[in-house]
Amino acid sequence: MPFIPHTEEDIQKMLETIGAQSIDQLFDEIPTHLRAGALDAIPPARSEMEIMRLMSDRAEQDSGALCFIGAGAYEHHIPAAVWDIATRGEFMTAYTPYQAEASQGTLQLIYEFQSMMTALTGLDVSNASLYDGASGLAEAVLMAIRANRKSKSKRVLIAGTVHPLYKKVVNSIVHNQQIELVEVAFDSTSLTTDVSALAQYEGEDFAALIIAQPNFFGTLEDIHQLTDWAHQQKMLVIGVVNPTAASLISPPGEWGENGADIAVGEGQPMGIPLASGGPYFGFICCKQALVRQMPGRIIGRTVDLDGKEGFALTLQAREQHIRRSKATSNICTNQGLAVTAATIYMSLLGQEGIERVARACHANTNRLVGLLSAVPGVEVISTGPRFHEFVLRLPKSSRLVLEHMAVQGVLGGHDLSDTYPDLENCILVCVTETKTEQDLNGYVNALEVSLKELETVEC
Amino acid sequence: MPFIPHTEEDIQKMLETIGAQSIDQLFDEIPTHLRAGALDAIPPARSEMEIMRLMSDRAEQDSGALCFIGAGAYEHHIPAAVWDIATRGEFMTAYTPYQAEASQGTLQLIYEFQSMMTALTGLDVSNASLYDGASGLAEAVLMAIRANRKSKSKRVLIAGTVHPLYKKVVNSIVHNQQIELVEVAFDSTSLTTDVSALAQYEGEDFAALIIAQPNFFGTLEDIHQLTDWAHQQKMLVIGVVNPTAASLISPPGEWGENGADIAVGEGQPMGIPLASGGPYFGFICCKQALVRQMPGRIIGRTVDLDGKEGFALTLQAREQHIRRSKATSNICTNQGLAVTAATIYMSLLGQEGIERVARACHANTNRLVGLLSAVPGVEVISTGPRFHEFVLRLPKSSRLVLEHMAVQGVLGGHDLSDTYPDLENCILVCVTETKTEQDLNGYVNALEVSLKELETVEC
Amino acid sequence: MLIFERGVKGRTATAQAPLVKAEATDIPDSLMRKNKAALPEVSELQVVRHYTNLSRKNFSIDTQFYPLGSCTMKYNPRGAHRVASLPGFLNRHPLAPESYSQGYLASVYELQEILKEVTGMAGVSLSPMAGAQGEFAGVAMIRAYHEKRGDHERSEIIVPIAAHGTNPATAVMCGYKVKEIPVLNDGDVDVEALKEAVGPQTAGIMMTNPSTCGVFERQIEVIAKVVHDAGGLLYYDGANLNAILGKVRPGDMGFDVLHMNLHKTFATPHGGGGPGSGPVAVGERLLPYLPTPIAGIEDAGGEPDYCWLGEEALPDSIGRLSAFMGNAGIILRAYIYALFVGRDGMQRVSEFSTLNANYMAKKLADAGFDLAYKDRRATHEFIITLSKQAKELGVTAMDFAKRLLDYGYHAPTTYFPLLVPECLLIEPTETESIDEMDGFVDAMIQILKEAESSADLVKGAPYTQPVKRLDDVKAARELDVSYKP
Amino acid sequence: MLIFERGVKGRTATAQAPLVKAEATDIPDSLMRKNKAALPEVSELQVVRHYTNLSRKNFSIDTQFYPLGSCTMKYNPRGAHRVASLPGFLNRHPLAPESYSQGYLASVYELQEILKEVTGMAGVSLSPMAGAQGEFAGVAMIRAYHEKRGDHERSEIIVPIAAHGTNPATAVMCGYKVKEIPVLNDGDVDVEALKEAVGPQTAGIMMTNPSTCGVFERQIEVIAKVVHDAGGLLYYDGANLNAILGKVRPGDMGFDVLHMNLHKTFATPHGGGGPGSGPVAVGERLLPYLPTPIAGIEDAGGEPDYCWLGEEALPDSIGRLSAFMGNAGIILRAYIYALFVGRDGMQRVSEFSTLNANYMAKKLADAGFDLAYKDRRATHEFIITLSKQAKELGVTAMDFAKRLLDYGYHAPTTYFPLLVPECLLIEPTETESIDEMDGFVDAMIQILKEAESSADLVKGAPYTQPVKRLDDVKAARELDVSYKP
């Protein structure tokens, strides 16, 4: 019985204590006809050795490609120390820190995490994390609607340059509460949100404006103008940001005259592996005045009976286990283990290190853009200032080119064709600090070979 | 400066405290002409990311083969928990437990290790480990010569079926002390040590007889007869044993009338990865009467000032840091981390688990022997009872067959031709519990293909 | 000491960032960051030492018995963690093409099949990232179902008073009103009250079974009939699935939809508060509404070809709940756990967790503690109430909980469910041995003795932890939630 | 509690062994085991919890400042551990063909080259498995050298009295007699005594530089000349190599052979007492005697082809010292560390370890502690002597050491070297920050105050560890070195 320590003798002793004849008798309150039969669709038990073998083969199947896909999940170097320490049993196998005295490790760590996120975003307060960036944005929308005292609207403006999957997730989560997302069209030349496109919404009542920086296309928005416009319209500003980029480019707290009100984003770049999409974590930060509208757990610093510093869950009156149907959100778990890793990552890198990573990503991206200028037929159409992604237009079917590149072991980018009819045969390419000169040449080579193959096929 | 925390300000502050102008000044007692120049042959520093990339590629180069080599190092399933816990910082980055009060974790663990090794070998006492099985045997030889009060001889009899590399290592280590190893010829048909071959040594003065069980060829010796013969000749008996096998077959403590006096062996099968040959650990166990002649560290159970149970290094008067030139050995470090892993492994497996592993190895080995009977031209020449290795005679050059098999991703065995002129074109094949039916068929297939290829070449 | 306080200006862990600091001259100055983020400036050793030492201030399953009721703190197999951490799994981009995803997809697909079988449902989506998101998905599907049928009048979700706080909070997030119904003294739902509560406005009911009272809801078939007859659907909160795994299937009890907490029932690490994973399983009626994406199979003969099913395949889906496909690493761990446990092992989980809980309950009762539902079988957990001790000795459930920490045991869940005063909800799980449970019971007996002879000792506990009891009021009033240098 | 005591008959961690128990009927009964080994019978959770908790009873670099003199307890990069643990390295069989060994061999070869350069020697063998085995290899090579030349009269190895115990023990293992020579009050070797000691019987001298007195041997060139003139060779004990790494090379000082402790100087984990790795480096004269195997290169143009050099290539080798090729995993870690540190970083190691030691020495001296060699520069370590305190207050070096544990610092090395009474040998290493060192000095000052006001407090320490001082006499007299059920 894997993981069950009971011997036959233990079982007999326990049944005697209980006064039962058999384990089955303990289920005698359950109508017999409800009992499950054999679970034939479930395979029989295997040993750890067998499972390792099976799963190593499967992991191997998914390995070996050079990845230039970003689109919301980014490959970065993760220091070995990060997960070595995050996976110590005391962090990994603890529960939510309900017993504060026996959970000071996790509690202090989250307090430090909150401090780091406020430092990076330039805002006042942070929570202990949300599930991911996309659902975090949904929570930010709900929060903005609750928090904006100048607006009674349940409508929110969202830049068209925000990640398309984020828009879907937000909609899935908020639409049952009759909340409406109104999308601002983006400029298909600059691939940014033109402030002039906002003019039509002037005077209307929206609870908030959502902007992404860098935006989904990797391009930098004029966030100062956008922020100031929204504030003039009495909207709150929600910034969707990349934490790596925030070390280099203007963070939400510095946007416009007064800074964004809420910042959310995907925490994955801070030491979390790509890992098929999770567990990642969403972060949310805001101005001090909004703290009581923030969803999820928050850790505060306080003192114990002896006046000694300590940490505890605070403002729990916002949460579901206290407020039930009146809570700010139904959220219960955070992404504690991912936050643990991120906190160690941010400590190891610091501002200097994260900025170096950001700069290396940026430089490598520009380097690939430079190399691509020599490839006939392709065009980098995102020409404005960028962070670490760009949009490449291909002379052939983007789906086919990507397939051909994949066969050569290069994941060439994320296909934009289906989502954006204006961007036919365009792909979103990401280059991080992990890519060497040789990798970039490998990209170009795979692309050229693929284009040539497709040329031949068509002849 | 990787791993060096000093900022410029720190350095200035420290130099001021010291009263020095520069760091270089701290080296002013060293003649200037002795200072090293630039170390051009050493490459410049790299970041962790660059190193990971480089070394992942190198690790990849060495990967992917199905391994049927044993010959002293065995592939077994290692439970994930083993190294997860052994590599916790508190185990991995501690030093020798000189400050017992601050090292109870390591000390108790080693005490438990010693207890497990005595349980497995059936002897009374164990030390805290030696470097590896081969050097452990050298220490056992030195120990036996010191310990055998009935003999003044510096000669030791060693079965010819002992691992050939062990024989070399023992010789390297002991020959400067004028100790002589006398090798007993083995029966080239049974591949065991025939007791009749010992007759010629009767009446001669030897300090000890060394026997391996299973022997190098994977075959089981008649250890009871051999042990009793040696004891009759007033020799001590040193058994070289495999700890996995010891769970299934007669352990040294049960050999003959009185049991072997000393057991040594390679601890690697107890949860230590193959890892290019180390770090492994040697174990050494002996009868109680010999404990003061044992080399290396020993942990004892005692009490503290309050009478509470605790653990400490004991019998240190045997060791070099106390006895200096009169110590039992120059050994200082043990293989603590490997022992930590092995202790966890033995706890997880227990007698039942290790025995199941041993039985699975044995059964798989016999299964492959069975499959090979259908391959024309090859012959399993070790026909006696075996553990998990056998000797296979090939109809072609063993070197070439192994090369051809390797190209197909199968490491077919260890070549015996060079070491044993009698065993021309013979290889030593090992099958552990890690091999599936499919793997065994893969072996047979690779062998058949190789033989066929070599057939063709010769035509 | 905070990690920030260990830093000094200019100190870095040099090996961890690119050695060269690249230019970024093409970004306009106005878009560049003006003030450096005040992150820690520390060495690699300082980081390792700081966080290693912080970890040592936690209780955890790996170090302590942790009988936290409703949380299923069982052993998290190290093997599952190891396998899920294979580089091939860690390095796969969520948007990688299916040609580089077959290993992952095969695992996900098979887990879906296993969960369908063990819950008795027709379809599974693994995408919800936690129990609460699973609840959301479940109720959103109920809503989508009614709306699709044009049944727009259903505005209420019924919730028994003993339910987890997430249940009512979720109903509200899905745009429903919450109607609470009482629970009887024996722990079962008040069926008469339920009958009065249902009507054309009823969208559904959210329940756990066994309930948070630690007893099996015996009227479940009646309840199902009442709700179904009223046109509502039944939602099963999988928080307590460990109690019945493989023994009784929610689908067979009449539930239409449920979520599972993989981090509980399928033994993935809780990570100090997450990540979790909250797959949903549904009966035939709700199949079209499952959240996307789901792993599918294209069986073109030969090797199966796995694929993602998204919006195109499921046009009526309630949609996507995460940017990618949920907490993949947790899903993998749960799959691996299922492989470990296997067909026969599933019901052993419920059998031995139930055996353990009944054993502890009996031992504690024999020692003079009051069981909240003493005439009922315990399920995988049970409740003791310390009302008597609170009244007679002035020692509360909280005091017992804190004192247990000094004895090296994590406290059970306190003051939940809300309807039992001064309660401890105790869940040993099936992976604990009789020795650990006996040790816990002995500690409880000892604390009771202490409470009788020196109540202040117990009321001042804990004494052996990094801090004593903390001032929660100060924490909320003088809010300090981030370090300011 | 011992792991054995947690077990009960029949309990197993089922997932960890083959699920089927195979037959072994072909082995004769007489060769089968009669009595089952009394190993623990425990569950997987019990094992994880037991050893996790045991680990928490250790001090370590990852948790504490650990200034253990002569042991170089510096940060062990987690990256080196991670890389050395890649499956490709862990799964490689030591006897795998060279076609499956190029990755490993390339790394080993390059480390050999790095070590040659940083020691100023002509050849390196990585095979010795620890410092003591490196010493053995070194002296065995000296012996082989003399024997090869037919110089059979050399029967003595000279060892300064301050040397590590392994030095004389090694000389004896190589069949030599040991002649000890004194050390002067300033810590340097008594050159006059050396001159008297050498002669045709001198095989060589074993020294460290800096010596265990924590000072640089200023007469090293004179010593080298004296020994060489007498026909002897110089052996360098690399225990203190951290002090001069990249700054002064043993080869340039006149040494003929040395060993290095990779686990010290190259920052591989000490593992609670090992494994270590003790490569040897030699000058031209000893090249033929290096222990086998060594990584070699066959440069046939194009990609280099790495190979093992064994007996055939080195017929005069002292032979093989381990079954395979030494502690490969430690060698890999050291190579990775060398890549991290790089060309320029090598001498930073000695510079900053020296800076730290001199800083601490000065702070302690200013606080009233007596330095053993107060007129000398400290190297990477230094000695304080507590003779005054022992005499005046009755508080010994051991008492200070034990009391430091209560302050959260591992004690320095005590009572070594033997020639300094009541000494603490303190080695902070280059990876510790000024803050940690200041904290340690403050603790020493505090303990001194305690010793002055309440000596018994210090003499009774430690109080905060899992146990108080242990009865070593009982441990040796009533020998209990293994658990008997």
Side-chain angles (χ1 to χ4, degrees), chain C residues 404-471:
Chain C
L404 276 167
L405 305 179
D406 287 332
Y407 280 89
Y409 296 101
H410 195 280
T413 297
T414 54
Y415 300 96
F416 184 84
L418 306 175
L419 68 168
V420 184
E422 294 297 335
C423 68
L424 296 179
L425 177 61
I426 303 174
E427 180 184 5
T429 85
E430 72 279 10
T431 63
E432 293 293 341
S433 66
I434 188 171
D435 327 64
E436 287 285 6
M437 293 187 285
D438 288 346
F440 179 91
V441 171
D442 289 347
M444 286 292 289
I445 293 170
Q446 204 55 42
I447 297 169
L448 185 55
K449 278 189 199 149
E450 290 173 352
E452 285 160 0
S453 63
S454 52
D456 283 349
L457 176 73
V458 181
K459 292 155 73 73
Y463 303 96
T464 57
Q465 301 303 308
V467 292
K468 292 193 176 178
R469 287 194 207 183
L470 292 162
D471 187 343

Side-chain angles (χ1 to χ4, degrees), chain C residues 236-317:
Chain C
Y236 180 89
D237 175 339
N240 295 337
L241 187 62
N242 215 61
I244 58 164
L245 193 73
K247 202 83 183 169
V248 191
R249 309 192 304 171
D252 299 338
M253 289 191 265
F255 286 95
D256 300 284
V257 51
L258 68 114
H259 86 270
M260 292 150 269
N261 294 297
L262 295 184
H263 49 294
K264 297 179 183 177
T265 318
F266 284 73
T268 74
H270 287 64
S277 178
V280 280
V282 296
E284 294 290 343
R285 277 193 282 198
L286 295 183
L287 271 179
Y289 311 107
L290 279 170
T292 58
I294 297 173
I297 195 165
E298 286 163 7
D299 208 344
E303 284 292 293
D305 211 2
Y306 297 95
C307 60
W308 286 116
L309 304 177
E311 291 166 33
E312 309 72 27
L314 290 154
D316 290 333
S317 163

Side-chain angles (χ1 to χ4, degrees), chain C residues 33-77:
Chain C
R33 185 169 183 125
K34 300 279 178 298
N35 306 298
K36 303 274 180 195
L39 294 176
E41 299 183 81
V42 284
S43 74
E44 190 163 324
L45 172 55
Q46 286 184 305
V47 174
V48 167
R49 193 175 282 165
H50 180 76
Y51 289 107
T52 300
N53 280 318
L54 269 196
S55 79
R56 292 164 58 98
K57 295 184 175 179
N58 273 0
F59 274 31
S60 66
I61 306 176
D62 277 10
T63 48
Q64 272 96 5
F65 181 41
Y66 209 123
L68 196 64
S70 180
C71 298
T72 312
M73 295 295 281
K74 60 167 109 169
Y75 174 58
N76 305 142

Side-chain angles (χ1 to χ4, degrees), chain C residues 64-351:
Chain C
Q64 272 96 5
F65 181 41
Y66 209 123
L68 196 64
S70 180
C71 298
T72 312
M73 295 295 281
K74 60 167 109 169
Y75 174 58
N76 305 142
R78 287 269 155 189
H81 169 59
R82 171 71 55 85
V83 167
S85 305
L86 287 166
F89 291 130
L90 288 188
N91 297 335
R92 200 185 79 81
H93 194 286
L95 300 174
E98 284 164 7
S99 60
Y100 278 97
S101 312
Q102 291 299 304
Y104 178 68
L105 274 166
S107 309
V108 170
Y109 181 83
E110 288 174 13
L111 179 61
Q112 291 172 183
E113 294 300 305
I114 290 169
L115 296 181
K116 275 158 63 179
E117 178 82 350
V118 83
T119 58
M121 306 303 271
V124 162
S125 167
L126 301 172
S127 75
M129 292 179 285
Q133 218 190 27
E135 291 184 30
F136 174 87
V139 178
M141 284 189 275
I142 291 175
R143 188 180 181 108
Y145 167 78
H146 291 308
E147 283 179 358
K148 183 80 178 180
R149 289 163 54 246
D151 192 352
H152 300 296
E153 300 311 304
R154 301 196 176 267
S155 58
E156 273 182 13
I157 289 283
I158 297 171
V159 175
I161 197 153
H164 293 108
T166 45
N167 291 177
T170 297
V172 169
M173 278 194 84
C174 290
Y176 283 117
K177 287 198 291 275
V178 174
K179 181 177 280 183
E180 293 200 322
I181 56 164
V183 166
L184 299 174
N185 286 338
D186 62 4
D188 284 344
V189 161
D190 182 339
V191 174
E192 294 312 311
L194 173 66
K195 285 179 181 162
E196 278 168 38
V198 297
Q201 79 290 0
T202 302
I205 185 170
M206 298 180 80
M207 290 182 62
T208 60
N209 191 13
S211 72
T212 58
C213 300
V215 295
F216 189 85
E217 175 60 64
R218 290 168 296 192
Q219 304 306 316
I220 183 60
E221 290 168 293
V222 178
I223 293 168
K225 186 160 182 347
V226 170
V227 174
H228 280 148
D229 285 351
L233 298 183
L234 279 86
Y235 180 89
Y236 180 89
D237 175 339
N240 295 337
L241 187 62
N242 215 61
I244 58 164
L245 193 73
K247 202 83 183 169
V248 191
R249 309 192 304 171
D252 299 338
M253 289 191 265
F255 286 95
D256 300 284
V257 51
L258 68 114
H259 86 270
M260 292 150 269
N261 294 297
L262 295 184
H263 49 294
K264 297 179 183 177
T265 318
F266 284 73
T268 74
H270 287 64
S277 178
V280 280
V282 296
E284 294 290 343
R285 277 193 282 198
L286 295 183
L287 271 179
Y289 311 107
L290 279 170
T292 58
I294 297 173
I297 195 165
E298 286 163 7
D299 208 344
E303 284 292 293
D305 211 2
Y306 297 95
C307 60
W308 286 116
L309 304 177
E311 291 166 33
E312 309 72 27
L314 290 154
D316 290 333
S317 163
I318 58 159
R320 203 175 252 272
L321 297 172
S322 64
F324 303 109
M325 76 79 60
N327 284 334
I330 305 302
I331 291 167
L332 268 181
R333 283 170 176 78
Y335 171 61
I336 297 156
Y337 175 78
L339 294 181
F340 268 118
V341 168
R343 185 185 298 158
D344 297 332
M346 292 286 161
Q347 71 172 355
R348 277 202 301 261
V349 166
S350 48
E351 287 175 353

Side-chain angles (χ1 to χ4, degrees), chain B residues 1 3 5-6 14 17 24 27-29 33-36 39-43 45-46 55 58-59 61-63 69-70 73 77 79 88-95 99 101-106 108 111-112 114-115 119-120 124-125 131-132 165 168-169 172-173 176-177 224 246 248-250 254 274-276 278-279 292 297 300-306 308 311 314 320 324-325 330 333-337 343 347-348 351-352 355-356 359 362 366 406, chain D residues 1-3 13 16 18-19 21-22 26 30-37 42 48 50-51 54-55 57-62 66 71 73 76 83 88-90 92-93 100-104 107 110 117 129-130 132 136 143 163 165-166 169-170 172-174 221 246-247 252 269-275 311 318 320 322-323 326-329 335 339-340 342-343 348 354 356 362 376-377 402 410 430-431 465-466 468-471 475-476 480-484:
Chain B
M1 299 191 294
F3 318 132
H6 300 64
M14 292 170 77
T17 300
D24 208 52
F27 291 85
D28 56 10
E29 293 185 359
H33 64 274
L34 285 182
R35 301 290 183 84
L39 305 169
D40 293 330
I42 301 177
R46 291 181 220 207
M55 296 302 281
R58 288 203 179 150
Q61 276 187 283
D62 295 356
S63 301
I69 308 174
H77 168 65
R88 283 173 57 86
E90 295 95 324
F91 279 138
M92 190 162 71
T93 73
Y95 200 75
Q99 291 294 337
E101 300 86 350
S103 312
Q104 286 296 299
T106 290
Q108 180 176 335
Y111 177 88
E112 293 178 354
Q114 292 171 177
S115 306
L120 262 181
D124 302 316
V125 291
Y131 305 133
D132 74 349
L165 295 175
K168 289 192 184 189
V169 171
S172 303
I173 294 176
N176 284 328
Q177 296 182 61
H224 302 301
L248 179 66
I249 61 175
S250 187
E254 295 180 4
L274 290 170
S276 290
R292 282 179 164 75
R297 292 185 189 135
R301 178 153 65 164
T302 182
V303 295
D304 75 358
L305 287 177
D306 296 344
K308 190 177 168 192
F311 302 86
T314 193
Q320 49 74 26
R324 301 177 71 85
S325 63
N330 76 338
T333 51
N334 60 355
Q335 302 280 104
L337 192 62
T343 306
S347 301
L348 276 170
Q351 159 69 31
E352 176 65 21
E355 189 183 334
R356 277 171 184 253
R359 286 171 178 271
H362 176 74
N366 282 347
Chain D
M1 189 187 269
L2 296 172
I3 187 75
Q16 298 306 342
L19 298 175
K21 191 164 179 173
D26 52 326
S30 69
L31 294 182
M32 293 290 275
R33 183 166 187 127
K34 300 279 177 297
N35 306 299
K36 302 274 178 193
V42 283
V48 167
H50 179 78
Y51 289 107
L54 269 196
S55 79
K57 295 185 177 180
N58 272 0
F59 274 32
S60 66
I61 307 176
D62 277 9
Y66 209 123
C71 298
M73 295 295 281
N76 305 142
V83 167
F89 292 130
L90 289 188
R92 200 186 81 80
H93 194 285
Y100 277 96
S101 312
Q102 292 298 304
Y104 178 68
S107 308
E110 288 173 15
E117 178 82 349
M129 290 179 285
F136 174 87
R143 189 178 181 109
T166 45
T170 298
V172 169
M173 278 194 83
C174 290
E221 290 169 294
K247 202 82 183 172
D252 299 337
H270 287 63
E311 292 167 31
I318 59 161
R320 205 175 251 271
S322 64
N327 284 334
Y335 170 62
L339 294 182
F340 267 120
R343 185 185 296 157
R348 278 202 301 262
T354 299
N356 275 1
K362 186 60 168 45
R376 300 292 305 271
R377 289 283 184 206
K402 297 300 183 195
H410 196 280
E430 73 279 9
T431 63
Q465 301 303 309
K468 292 195 175 177
R469 288 195 206 182
L470 292 162
D471 186 343
D480 171 1
V481 299
S482 71
Y483 170 76
K484 304 286 178 236

